[in-house]
Amino acid sequence: ETTLTAPGGITLDETTHDFVGAVTATAAGTAGSVTLVDANDLAATVQAGMAGSIETFNTVSVTAEGALSIVEALGFDIDLTGSSVSLGAITAEEIDPGEGDPFGGDLTVTAKSDAEDPSLITDTLAGALLVEGETVLVADGGITLDDADHDFVGDVTVTDGSGAISLRDANDLTIAALTMETDQDLTLQAGSSLDGDGVEGELSIPGLSADDVTLIAETITGSTVTADGDLNFTSDDAINGDDFAFTVAGESAFTRKVGAIALLDTDDDFGTLLTADAPSEDGAITIDLLGEQTVIARAGTPGSVTATMDVGEGILTIVAGDSGVTSSSGNGAATVTLTGTLAQIDNLLT
């Protein structure tokens, strides 16, 4: 193992260095940055600045030609590069210059390797990420940073050449740009939980295209969502399809724990099956469809509920039979309102 301690900074950037054992590098002075380079694999714990004194934090740069494992990194701007990168507790802190607003430290993680070994960015080590500034993630083979305690305060930019992407933020998550292969899965979640108290986070996304797409947050804002596989869209705030353009090849599932779901853009394509769940007392579902579509709609708490379905062209006829469901209005028209229990409506429409 290698232990390095210096008040004024640590720079070991010769490309032929080889730290076979773990490295601990601490530059605890007021101007102490840390730069490390390893010709092979590297496992490191790095501190640039005095712990508890953020005005002293400085830059961290760690590069490995092989796999890079960062057990812990504390500093201002943090730049990490390896064939694959495993992250533990990473803190890119905020600096207050004393003149105007504070500004946050950035995190850049780059994982690139040859074609034989796909590069990954993962959070397999113990700890969470706190990035006060912007985050840039670049990988060839996949990105998984889905610990519930991660906090990406600034914008996140993601580029992945051929792997799945899964990101989670304990608070708000803003994806400024996202590039990935459309045959890979994408999961984005903002908020700390999915249990009774809600998700408590805002997810902001650009136009995106992937295979299976999962989006989870209290509030979700964006534009175009294209899923070559399935779409799972869960929000505790208003789900208004007019805010998005959905194109789904597989199945679509929309869930809102409190309040209504309105999917009213007849240009949307919800794939082979559309499921909408609004299970609260004030849950209501309104859907406009263009052409033929199989729908499962569950609105309201158990007991008698009401579901409204619309088609953009033609008429909709529901044959209730002995299902127990009644058509209170519009059967044989463009809009049909059904009343019954969740189970009755579910059985009728499946």
Side-chain angles (χ1 to χ4, degrees), residues 256-293:
R256 184 184 180 193
K257 290 188 175 182
V258 178
I261 296 175
L263 304 174
L264 305 177
D265 189 342
T266 56
D267 291 331
D268 289 335
D269 183 354
F270 295 111
T272 58
L273 174 65
L274 169 60
T275 302
D277 284 293
S280 65
E281 291 183 0
D282 58 349
I285 298 172
T286 306
I287 303 172
D288 282 349
L289 300 173
L290 179 63
E292 183 176 341
Q293 178 73 63

PDB file of all heavy atoms in Angstrom, residues 256-293:
ATOM      1  N   ARG A 256     -50.163   7.057 -10.987  1.00  0.00           N
ATOM      2  CA  ARG A 256     -50.156   8.265 -10.169  1.00  0.00           C
ATOM      3  C   ARG A 256     -50.865   7.955  -8.870  1.00  0.00           C
ATOM      4  O   ARG A 256     -52.054   7.600  -8.863  1.00  0.00           O
ATOM      5  CB  ARG A 256     -50.851   9.423 -10.881  1.00  0.00           C
ATOM      6  CG  ARG A 256     -50.748  10.714 -10.063  1.00  0.00           C
ATOM      7  CD  ARG A 256     -51.505  11.863 -10.680  1.00  0.00           C
ATOM      8  NE  ARG A 256     -51.360  13.062  -9.848  1.00  0.00           N
ATOM      9  CZ  ARG A 256     -52.100  14.150  -9.985  1.00  0.00           C
ATOM     10  NH1 ARG A 256     -53.023  14.210 -10.912  1.00  0.00           N
ATOM     11  NH2 ARG A 256     -51.907  15.184  -9.183  1.00  0.00           N
ATOM     12  N   LYS A 257     -50.163   8.085  -7.760  1.00  0.00           N
ATOM     13  CA  LYS A 257     -50.739   7.685  -6.477  1.00  0.00           C
ATOM     14  C   LYS A 257     -51.847   8.607  -6.010  1.00  0.00           C
ATOM     15  O   LYS A 257     -52.796   8.181  -5.356  1.00  0.00           O
ATOM     16  CB  LYS A 257     -49.640   7.614  -5.415  1.00  0.00           C
ATOM     17  CG  LYS A 257     -48.682   6.450  -5.617  1.00  0.00           C
ATOM     18  CD  LYS A 257     -47.754   6.323  -4.446  1.00  0.00           C
ATOM     19  CE  LYS A 257     -46.878   5.097  -4.568  1.00  0.00           C
ATOM     20  NZ  LYS A 257     -46.005   4.932  -3.398  1.00  0.00           N
ATOM     21  N   VAL A 258     -51.707   9.895  -6.304  1.00  0.00           N
ATOM     22  CA  VAL A 258     -52.695  10.873  -5.846  1.00  0.00           C
ATOM     23  C   VAL A 258     -53.104  11.721  -7.043  1.00  0.00           C
ATOM     24  O   VAL A 258     -52.253  12.354  -7.667  1.00  0.00           O
ATOM     25  CB  VAL A 258     -52.128  11.777  -4.734  1.00  0.00           C
ATOM     26  CG1 VAL A 258     -53.166  12.807  -4.313  1.00  0.00           C
ATOM     27  CG2 VAL A 258     -51.674  10.950  -3.546  1.00  0.00           C
ATOM     28  N   GLY A 259     -54.421  11.727  -7.356  1.00  0.00           N
ATOM     29  CA  GLY A 259     -54.893  12.587  -8.428  1.00  0.00           C
ATOM     30  C   GLY A 259     -55.112  11.843  -9.726  1.00  0.00           C
ATOM     31  O   GLY A 259     -55.136  10.612  -9.787  1.00  0.00           O
ATOM     32  N   ALA A 260     -55.262  12.613 -10.789  1.00  0.00           N
ATOM     33  CA  ALA A 260     -55.749  12.095 -12.053  1.00  0.00           C
ATOM     34  C   ALA A 260     -54.627  11.875 -13.060  1.00  0.00           C
ATOM     35  O   ALA A 260     -53.528  12.401 -12.948  1.00  0.00           O
ATOM     36  CB  ALA A 260     -56.774  13.060 -12.641  1.00  0.00           C
ATOM     37  N   ILE A 261     -54.960  11.081 -14.068  1.00  0.00           N
ATOM     38  CA  ILE A 261     -54.100  10.845 -15.218  1.00  0.00           C
ATOM     39  C   ILE A 261     -54.857  11.297 -16.454  1.00  0.00           C
ATOM     40  O   ILE A 261     -56.006  10.895 -16.678  1.00  0.00           O
ATOM     41  CB  ILE A 261     -53.721   9.359 -15.348  1.00  0.00           C
ATOM     42  CG1 ILE A 261     -52.888   8.909 -14.135  1.00  0.00           C
ATOM     43  CG2 ILE A 261     -52.956   9.097 -16.638  1.00  0.00           C
ATOM     44  CD1 ILE A 261     -52.584   7.419 -14.125  1.00  0.00           C
ATOM     45  N   ALA A 262     -54.214  12.133 -17.269  1.00  0.00           N
ATOM     46  CA  ALA A 262     -54.826  12.609 -18.511  1.00  0.00           C
ATOM     47  C   ALA A 262     -53.857  12.376 -19.656  1.00  0.00           C
ATOM     48  O   ALA A 262     -52.801  13.016 -19.726  1.00  0.00           O
ATOM     49  CB  ALA A 262     -55.184  14.092 -18.399  1.00  0.00           C
ATOM     50  N   LEU A 263     -54.181  11.432 -20.522  1.00  0.00           N
ATOM     51  CA  LEU A 263     -53.381  11.131 -21.711  1.00  0.00           C
ATOM     52  C   LEU A 263     -54.228  11.525 -22.918  1.00  0.00           C
ATOM     53  O   LEU A 263     -55.044  10.747 -23.400  1.00  0.00           O
ATOM     54  CB  LEU A 263     -53.009   9.646 -21.735  1.00  0.00           C
ATOM     55  CG  LEU A 263     -52.264   9.141 -20.494  1.00  0.00           C
ATOM     56  CD1 LEU A 263     -52.069   7.638 -20.561  1.00  0.00           C
ATOM     57  CD2 LEU A 263     -50.929   9.849 -20.332  1.00  0.00           C
ATOM     58  N   LEU A 264     -54.029  12.749 -23.386  1.00  0.00           N
ATOM     59  CA  LEU A 264     -54.992  13.370 -24.302  1.00  0.00           C
ATOM     60  C   LEU A 264     -54.432  13.667 -25.684  1.00  0.00           C
ATOM     61  O   LEU A 264     -55.139  14.234 -26.514  1.00  0.00           O
ATOM     62  CB  LEU A 264     -55.513  14.680 -23.679  1.00  0.00           C
ATOM     63  CG  LEU A 264     -56.131  14.537 -22.279  1.00  0.00           C
ATOM     64  CD1 LEU A 264     -56.532  15.903 -21.747  1.00  0.00           C
ATOM     65  CD2 LEU A 264     -57.317  13.606 -22.314  1.00  0.00           C
ATOM     66  N   ASP A 265     -53.179  13.318 -25.939  1.00  0.00           N
ATOM     67  CA  ASP A 265     -52.592  13.602 -27.238  1.00  0.00           C
ATOM     68  C   ASP A 265     -52.814  12.402 -28.153  1.00  0.00           C
ATOM     69  O   ASP A 265     -52.230  11.339 -27.954  1.00  0.00           O
ATOM     70  CB  ASP A 265     -51.098  13.895 -27.088  1.00  0.00           C
ATOM     71  CG  ASP A 265     -50.471  14.401 -28.380  1.00  0.00           C
ATOM     72  OD1 ASP A 265     -51.093  14.210 -29.450  1.00  0.00           O
ATOM     73  OD2 ASP A 265     -49.377  14.981 -28.327  1.00  0.00           O
ATOM     74  N   THR A 266     -53.641  12.561 -29.163  1.00  0.00           N
ATOM     75  CA  THR A 266     -53.982  11.429 -30.026  1.00  0.00           C
ATOM     76  C   THR A 266     -52.852  11.046 -30.973  1.00  0.00           C
ATOM     77  O   THR A 266     -52.961  10.067 -31.708  1.00  0.00           O
ATOM     78  CB  THR A 266     -55.246  11.743 -30.852  1.00  0.00           C
ATOM     79  OG1 THR A 266     -55.041  12.960 -31.592  1.00  0.00           O
ATOM     80  CG2 THR A 266     -56.449  11.895 -29.949  1.00  0.00           C
ATOM     81  N   ASP A 267     -51.751  11.782 -30.962  1.00  0.00           N
ATOM     82  CA  ASP A 267     -50.583  11.384 -31.751  1.00  0.00           C
ATOM     83  C   ASP A 267     -49.704  10.386 -31.012  1.00  0.00           C
ATOM     84  O   ASP A 267     -48.790   9.813 -31.605  1.00  0.00           O
ATOM     85  CB  ASP A 267     -49.740  12.612 -32.117  1.00  0.00           C
ATOM     86  CG  ASP A 267     -50.449  13.518 -33.108  1.00  0.00           C
ATOM     87  OD1 ASP A 267     -51.252  13.004 -33.908  1.00  0.00           O
ATOM     88  OD2 ASP A 267     -50.208  14.743 -33.066  1.00  0.00           O
ATOM     89  N   ASP A 268     -49.955  10.179 -29.718  1.00  0.00           N
ATOM     90  CA  ASP A 268     -49.157   9.241 -28.939  1.00  0.00           C
ATOM     91  C   ASP A 268     -49.446   7.803 -29.353  1.00  0.00           C
ATOM     92  O   ASP A 268     -50.572   7.451 -29.699  1.00  0.00           O
ATOM     93  CB  ASP A 268     -49.447   9.403 -27.448  1.00  0.00           C
ATOM     94  CG  ASP A 268     -48.881  10.691 -26.878  1.00  0.00           C
ATOM     95  OD1 ASP A 268     -47.904  11.203 -27.450  1.00  0.00           O
ATOM     96  OD2 ASP A 268     -49.423  11.185 -25.878  1.00  0.00           O
ATOM     97  N   ASP A 269     -48.426   6.974 -29.275  1.00  0.00           N
ATOM     98  CA  ASP A 269     -48.545   5.543 -29.536  1.00  0.00           C
ATOM     99  C   ASP A 269     -48.096   4.809 -28.284  1.00  0.00           C
ATOM    100  O   ASP A 269     -46.916   4.815 -27.931  1.00  0.00           O
ATOM    101  CB  ASP A 269     -47.678   5.152 -30.731  1.00  0.00           C
ATOM    102  CG  ASP A 269     -47.824   3.676 -31.100  1.00  0.00           C
ATOM    103  OD1 ASP A 269     -48.499   2.935 -30.363  1.00  0.00           O
ATOM    104  OD2 ASP A 269     -47.245   3.263 -32.123  1.00  0.00           O
ATOM    105  N   PHE A 270     -49.056   4.180 -27.590  1.00  0.00           N
ATOM    106  CA  PHE A 270     -48.767   3.524 -26.318  1.00  0.00           C
ATOM    107  C   PHE A 270     -48.487   2.033 -26.468  1.00  0.00           C
ATOM    108  O   PHE A 270     -48.476   1.305 -25.474  1.00  0.00           O
ATOM    109  CB  PHE A 270     -49.924   3.743 -25.346  1.00  0.00           C
ATOM    110  CG  PHE A 270     -50.113   5.189 -24.964  1.00  0.00           C
ATOM    111  CD1 PHE A 270     -51.224   5.890 -25.397  1.00  0.00           C
ATOM    112  CD2 PHE A 270     -49.175   5.850 -24.199  1.00  0.00           C
ATOM    113  CE1 PHE A 270     -51.408   7.223 -25.062  1.00  0.00           C
ATOM    114  CE2 PHE A 270     -49.338   7.175 -23.854  1.00  0.00           C
ATOM    115  CZ  PHE A 270     -50.463   7.867 -24.293  1.00  0.00           C
ATOM    116  N   GLY A 271     -48.270   1.558 -27.678  1.00  0.00           N
ATOM    117  CA  GLY A 271     -47.825   0.196 -27.888  1.00  0.00           C
ATOM    118  C   GLY A 271     -48.939  -0.830 -27.802  1.00  0.00           C
ATOM    119  O   GLY A 271     -50.106  -0.555 -28.093  1.00  0.00           O
ATOM    120  N   THR A 272     -48.572  -2.036 -27.359  1.00  0.00           N
ATOM    121  CA  THR A 272     -49.493  -3.167 -27.397  1.00  0.00           C
ATOM    122  C   THR A 272     -50.514  -3.161 -26.266  1.00  0.00           C
ATOM    123  O   THR A 272     -51.571  -3.774 -26.381  1.00  0.00           O
ATOM    124  CB  THR A 272     -48.707  -4.474 -27.340  1.00  0.00           C
ATOM    125  OG1 THR A 272     -47.905  -4.500 -26.140  1.00  0.00           O
ATOM    126  CG2 THR A 272     -47.770  -4.590 -28.542  1.00  0.00           C
ATOM    127  N   LEU A 273     -50.197  -2.486 -25.141  1.00  0.00           N
ATOM    128  CA  LEU A 273     -51.100  -2.449 -23.994  1.00  0.00           C
ATOM    129  C   LEU A 273     -50.841  -1.174 -23.202  1.00  0.00           C
ATOM    130  O   LEU A 273     -49.689  -0.840 -22.919  1.00  0.00           O
ATOM    131  CB  LEU A 273     -50.876  -3.667 -23.092  1.00  0.00           C
ATOM    132  CG  LEU A 273     -51.654  -3.710 -21.765  1.00  0.00           C
ATOM    133  CD1 LEU A 273     -53.153  -3.819 -22.031  1.00  0.00           C
ATOM    134  CD2 LEU A 273     -51.174  -4.861 -20.890  1.00  0.00           C
ATOM    135  N   LEU A 274     -51.909  -0.473 -22.865  1.00  0.00           N
ATOM    136  CA  LEU A 274     -51.810   0.729 -22.034  1.00  0.00           C
ATOM    137  C   LEU A 274     -52.491   0.461 -20.696  1.00  0.00           C
ATOM    138  O   LEU A 274     -53.684   0.145 -20.654  1.00  0.00           O
ATOM    139  CB  LEU A 274     -52.472   1.922 -22.723  1.00  0.00           C
ATOM    140  CG  LEU A 274     -52.679   3.185 -21.879  1.00  0.00           C
ATOM    141  CD1 LEU A 274     -51.355   3.721 -21.359  1.00  0.00           C
ATOM    142  CD2 LEU A 274     -53.417   4.250 -22.682  1.00  0.00           C
ATOM    143  N   THR A 275     -51.730   0.581 -19.604  1.00  0.00           N
ATOM    144  CA  THR A 275     -52.263   0.428 -18.260  1.00  0.00           C
ATOM    145  C   THR A 275     -52.140   1.755 -17.530  1.00  0.00           C
ATOM    146  O   THR A 275     -51.066   2.348 -17.491  1.00  0.00           O
ATOM    147  CB  THR A 275     -51.506  -0.659 -17.473  1.00  0.00           C
ATOM    148  OG1 THR A 275     -51.589  -1.893 -18.174  1.00  0.00           O
ATOM    149  CG2 THR A 275     -52.108  -0.833 -16.087  1.00  0.00           C
ATOM    150  N   ALA A 276     -53.254   2.227 -16.958  1.00  0.00           N
ATOM    151  CA  ALA A 276     -53.254   3.477 -16.197  1.00  0.00           C
ATOM    152  C   ALA A 276     -53.836   3.217 -14.822  1.00  0.00           C
ATOM    153  O   ALA A 276     -54.959   2.708 -14.705  1.00  0.00           O
ATOM    154  CB  ALA A 276     -54.050   4.551 -16.927  1.00  0.00           C
ATOM    155  N   ASP A 277     -53.087   3.546 -13.774  1.00  0.00           N
ATOM    156  CA  ASP A 277     -53.515   3.342 -12.393  1.00  0.00           C
ATOM    157  C   ASP A 277     -53.525   4.676 -11.664  1.00  0.00           C
ATOM    158  O   ASP A 277     -52.481   5.337 -11.551  1.00  0.00           O
ATOM    159  CB  ASP A 277     -52.574   2.382 -11.665  1.00  0.00           C
ATOM    160  CG  ASP A 277     -52.797   0.940 -12.072  1.00  0.00           C
ATOM    161  OD1 ASP A 277     -53.866   0.406 -11.751  1.00  0.00           O
ATOM    162  OD2 ASP A 277     -51.905   0.366 -12.714  1.00  0.00           O
ATOM    163  N   ALA A 278     -54.687   5.073 -11.159  1.00  0.00           N
ATOM    164  CA  ALA A 278     -54.825   6.270 -10.327  1.00  0.00           C
ATOM    165  C   ALA A 278     -55.625   5.865  -9.103  1.00  0.00           C
ATOM    166  O   ALA A 278     -56.842   6.069  -9.022  1.00  0.00           O
ATOM    167  CB  ALA A 278     -55.530   7.384 -11.092  1.00  0.00           C
ATOM    168  N   PRO A 279     -54.958   5.250  -8.092  1.00  0.00           N
ATOM    169  CA  PRO A 279     -55.677   4.542  -7.031  1.00  0.00           C
ATOM    170  C   PRO A 279     -56.166   5.394  -5.864  1.00  0.00           C
ATOM    171  O   PRO A 279     -56.676   4.847  -4.890  1.00  0.00           O
ATOM    172  CB  PRO A 279     -54.630   3.534  -6.550  1.00  0.00           C
ATOM    173  CG  PRO A 279     -53.331   4.228  -6.763  1.00  0.00           C
ATOM    174  CD  PRO A 279     -53.503   5.037  -8.017  1.00  0.00           C
ATOM    175  N   SER A 280     -56.028   6.708  -5.912  1.00  0.00           N
ATOM    176  CA  SER A 280     -56.457   7.527  -4.779  1.00  0.00           C
ATOM    177  C   SER A 280     -57.944   7.838  -4.865  1.00  0.00           C
ATOM    178  O   SER A 280     -58.609   7.570  -5.875  1.00  0.00           O
ATOM    179  CB  SER A 280     -55.659   8.833  -4.746  1.00  0.00           C
ATOM    180  OG  SER A 280     -55.957   9.622  -5.882  1.00  0.00           O
ATOM    181  N   GLU A 281     -58.470   8.440  -3.789  1.00  0.00           N
ATOM    182  CA  GLU A 281     -59.891   8.767  -3.757  1.00  0.00           C
ATOM    183  C   GLU A 281     -60.295   9.728  -4.865  1.00  0.00           C
ATOM    184  O   GLU A 281     -61.405   9.669  -5.381  1.00  0.00           O
ATOM    185  CB  GLU A 281     -60.259   9.377  -2.395  1.00  0.00           C
ATOM    186  CG  GLU A 281     -60.195   8.389  -1.238  1.00  0.00           C
ATOM    187  CD  GLU A 281     -60.641   9.012   0.067  1.00  0.00           C
ATOM    188  OE1 GLU A 281     -61.002  10.202   0.052  1.00  0.00           O
ATOM    189  OE2 GLU A 281     -60.640   8.305   1.088  1.00  0.00           O
ATOM    190  N   ASP A 282     -59.385  10.641  -5.228  1.00  0.00           N
ATOM    191  CA  ASP A 282     -59.684  11.582  -6.302  1.00  0.00           C
ATOM    192  C   ASP A 282     -59.037  11.142  -7.614  1.00  0.00           C
ATOM    193  O   ASP A 282     -58.849  11.936  -8.531  1.00  0.00           O
ATOM    194  CB  ASP A 282     -59.224  12.996  -5.948  1.00  0.00           C
ATOM    195  CG  ASP A 282     -57.734  13.065  -5.637  1.00  0.00           C
ATOM    196  OD1 ASP A 282     -57.110  12.001  -5.494  1.00  0.00           O
ATOM    197  OD2 ASP A 282     -57.210  14.184  -5.547  1.00  0.00           O
ATOM    198  N   GLY A 283     -58.705   9.859  -7.707  1.00  0.00           N
ATOM    199  CA  GLY A 283     -58.121   9.346  -8.938  1.00  0.00           C
ATOM    200  C   GLY A 283     -59.135   9.330 -10.064  1.00  0.00           C
ATOM    201  O   GLY A 283     -60.281   8.912  -9.905  1.00  0.00           O
ATOM    202  N   ALA A 284     -58.735   9.799 -11.211  1.00  0.00           N
ATOM    203  CA  ALA A 284     -59.559   9.789 -12.414  1.00  0.00           C
ATOM    204  C   ALA A 284     -58.644   9.595 -13.602  1.00  0.00           C
ATOM    205  O   ALA A 284     -57.471   9.980 -13.576  1.00  0.00           O
ATOM    206  CB  ALA A 284     -60.354  11.081 -12.553  1.00  0.00           C
ATOM    207  N   ILE A 285     -59.151   8.970 -14.634  1.00  0.00           N
ATOM    208  CA  ILE A 285     -58.352   8.673 -15.816  1.00  0.00           C
ATOM    209  C   ILE A 285     -59.096   9.130 -17.052  1.00  0.00           C
ATOM    210  O   ILE A 285     -60.267   8.796 -17.250  1.00  0.00           O
ATOM    211  CB  ILE A 285     -58.041   7.168 -15.911  1.00  0.00           C
ATOM    212  CG1 ILE A 285     -57.212   6.721 -14.699  1.00  0.00           C
ATOM    213  CG2 ILE A 285     -57.313   6.850 -17.209  1.00  0.00           C
ATOM    214  CD1 ILE A 285     -57.023   5.218 -14.619  1.00  0.00           C
ATOM    215  N   THR A 286     -58.430   9.916 -17.881  1.00  0.00           N
ATOM    216  CA  THR A 286     -58.981  10.341 -19.164  1.00  0.00           C
ATOM    217  C   THR A 286     -57.950  10.032 -20.241  1.00  0.00           C
ATOM    218  O   THR A 286     -56.801  10.446 -20.146  1.00  0.00           O
ATOM    219  CB  THR A 286     -59.297  11.841 -19.182  1.00  0.00           C
ATOM    220  OG1 THR A 286     -60.150  12.149 -18.080  1.00  0.00           O
ATOM    221  CG2 THR A 286     -59.997  12.225 -20.473  1.00  0.00           C
ATOM    222  N   ILE A 287     -58.372   9.293 -21.256  1.00  0.00           N
ATOM    223  CA  ILE A 287     -57.456   8.846 -22.311  1.00  0.00           C
ATOM    224  C   ILE A 287     -58.081   9.128 -23.669  1.00  0.00           C
ATOM    225  O   ILE A 287     -59.230   8.767 -23.913  1.00  0.00           O
ATOM    226  CB  ILE A 287     -57.143   7.341 -22.181  1.00  0.00           C
ATOM    227  CG1 ILE A 287     -56.560   7.021 -20.795  1.00  0.00           C
ATOM    228  CG2 ILE A 287     -56.182   6.901 -23.275  1.00  0.00           C
ATOM    229  CD1 ILE A 287     -56.418   5.531 -20.534  1.00  0.00           C
ATOM    230  N   ASP A 288     -57.332   9.791 -24.537  1.00  0.00           N
ATOM    231  CA  ASP A 288     -57.705   9.940 -25.935  1.00  0.00           C
ATOM    232  C   ASP A 288     -56.799   9.044 -26.759  1.00  0.00           C
ATOM    233  O   ASP A 288     -55.572   9.092 -26.607  1.00  0.00           O
ATOM    234  CB  ASP A 288     -57.536  11.389 -26.406  1.00  0.00           C
ATOM    235  CG  ASP A 288     -58.683  12.277 -25.947  1.00  0.00           C
ATOM    236  OD1 ASP A 288     -59.680  11.722 -25.453  1.00  0.00           O
ATOM    237  OD2 ASP A 288     -58.571  13.497 -26.082  1.00  0.00           O
ATOM    238  N   LEU A 289     -57.407   8.241 -27.647  1.00  0.00           N
ATOM    239  CA  LEU A 289     -56.633   7.301 -28.435  1.00  0.00           C
ATOM    240  C   LEU A 289     -56.901   7.503 -29.919  1.00  0.00           C
ATOM    241  O   LEU A 289     -58.009   7.894 -30.311  1.00  0.00           O
ATOM    242  CB  LEU A 289     -56.983   5.860 -28.055  1.00  0.00           C
ATOM    243  CG  LEU A 289     -56.743   5.455 -26.596  1.00  0.00           C
ATOM    244  CD1 LEU A 289     -57.299   4.072 -26.350  1.00  0.00           C
ATOM    245  CD2 LEU A 289     -55.256   5.493 -26.274  1.00  0.00           C
ATOM    246  N   LEU A 290     -55.896   7.236 -30.720  1.00  0.00           N
ATOM    247  CA  LEU A 290     -56.031   7.251 -32.165  1.00  0.00           C
ATOM    248  C   LEU A 290     -55.928   5.817 -32.649  1.00  0.00           C
ATOM    249  O   LEU A 290     -54.878   5.197 -32.546  1.00  0.00           O
ATOM    250  CB  LEU A 290     -54.951   8.112 -32.816  1.00  0.00           C
ATOM    251  CG  LEU A 290     -54.970   8.179 -34.350  1.00  0.00           C
ATOM    252  CD1 LEU A 290     -56.271   8.823 -34.831  1.00  0.00           C
ATOM    253  CD2 LEU A 290     -53.781   8.942 -34.879  1.00  0.00           C
ATOM    254  N   GLY A 291     -57.036   5.274 -33.159  1.00  0.00           N
ATOM    255  CA  GLY A 291     -57.016   3.909 -33.639  1.00  0.00           C
ATOM    256  C   GLY A 291     -57.250   2.898 -32.536  1.00  0.00           C
ATOM    257  O   GLY A 291     -57.692   3.211 -31.440  1.00  0.00           O
ATOM    258  N   GLU A 292     -56.911   1.639 -32.815  1.00  0.00           N
ATOM    259  CA  GLU A 292     -57.189   0.535 -31.900  1.00  0.00           C
ATOM    260  C   GLU A 292     -56.148   0.475 -30.799  1.00  0.00           C
ATOM    261  O   GLU A 292     -54.959   0.615 -31.029  1.00  0.00           O
ATOM    262  CB  GLU A 292     -57.189  -0.771 -32.693  1.00  0.00           C
ATOM    263  CG  GLU A 292     -57.543  -1.996 -31.867  1.00  0.00           C
ATOM    264  CD  GLU A 292     -57.618  -3.250 -32.708  1.00  0.00           C
ATOM    265  OE1 GLU A 292     -57.752  -3.121 -33.942  1.00  0.00           O
ATOM    266  OE2 GLU A 292     -57.537  -4.334 -32.136  1.00  0.00           O
ATOM    267  N   GLN A 293     -56.604   0.267 -29.563  1.00  0.00           N
ATOM    268  CA  GLN A 293     -55.701   0.220 -28.413  1.00  0.00           C
ATOM    269  C   GLN A 293     -56.321  -0.624 -27.312  1.00  0.00           C
ATOM    270  O   GLN A 293     -57.511  -0.492 -27.011  1.00  0.00           O
ATOM    271  CB  GLN A 293     -55.444   1.629 -27.868  1.00  0.00           C
ATOM    272  CG  GLN A 293     -54.564   1.689 -26.640  1.00  0.00           C
ATOM    273  CD  GLN A 293     -53.112   1.400 -26.952  1.00  0.00           C
ATOM    274  OE1 GLN A 293     -52.487   2.137 -27.681  1.00  0.00           O
ATOM    275  NE2 GLN A 293     -52.578   0.314 -26.416  1.00  0.00           N
TER     276      GLN A 293
END
